Amino acid sequence: MLTGRVKLRTGVKSYGFISPDRGQGLPRGDVFFHASQFIGCRPEHDALVEFELGEHDGRRCAVNIRHEAPFLLIHSNPAGLGPLYFPPLGREFGA
């Protein structure tokens, strides 16, 4: 899976572009997406997403797009208080 940030144009929610994170071996430039390729979520400007590269009409596009998990879920809680949620390393709440 590749990662990047969503770039939406004001007032347009059905399509946009993803700016891939560097160092993933992709050529420079943004990747087109259609909102129908989001799985279990909607496009939100500047959201961190995971995606795969696909092709439509001979051009590359993002498919199978998911929001990156904002928190890590730890299922076993020794105190017996239910699941614990932690932000991934390097990310702060609200970032």
Side-chain angles (χ1 to χ4, degrees):
M1 292 290 261
L2 302 166
T3 57
R5 288 197 179 269
V6 172
K7 294 164 70 173
L8 289 175
R9 294 176 190 246
T10 305
V12 178
K13 300 267 183 183
S14 59
Y15 66 90
F17 295 89
I18 296 175
S19 181
D21 294 336
R22 293 182 181 197
Q24 300 183 95
L26 292 175
R28 290 186 121 177
D30 295 339
V31 179
F32 174 82
F33 74 81
H34 188 271
S36 65
Q37 291 299 314
F38 274 77
I39 299 172
C41 58
R42 286 185 265 166
E44 296 176 25
H45 184 69
D46 208 35
L48 280 171
V49 293
E50 295 179 334
F51 65 98
E52 297 174 13
L53 277 184
E55 193 172 304
H56 180 71
D57 291 336
R59 296 185 178 176
R60 70 180 184 162
C61 62
V63 297
N64 300 327
I65 307 167
R66 295 183 172 95
H67 282 267
E68 238 182 30
F71 300 97
L72 298 177
L73 171 61
I74 308 299
H75 288 281
S76 59
N77 180 345
L81 302 173
L84 297 174
Y85 296 89
F86 295 95
L89 295 175
R91 299 252 306 281
E92 298 178 13
F93 289 97

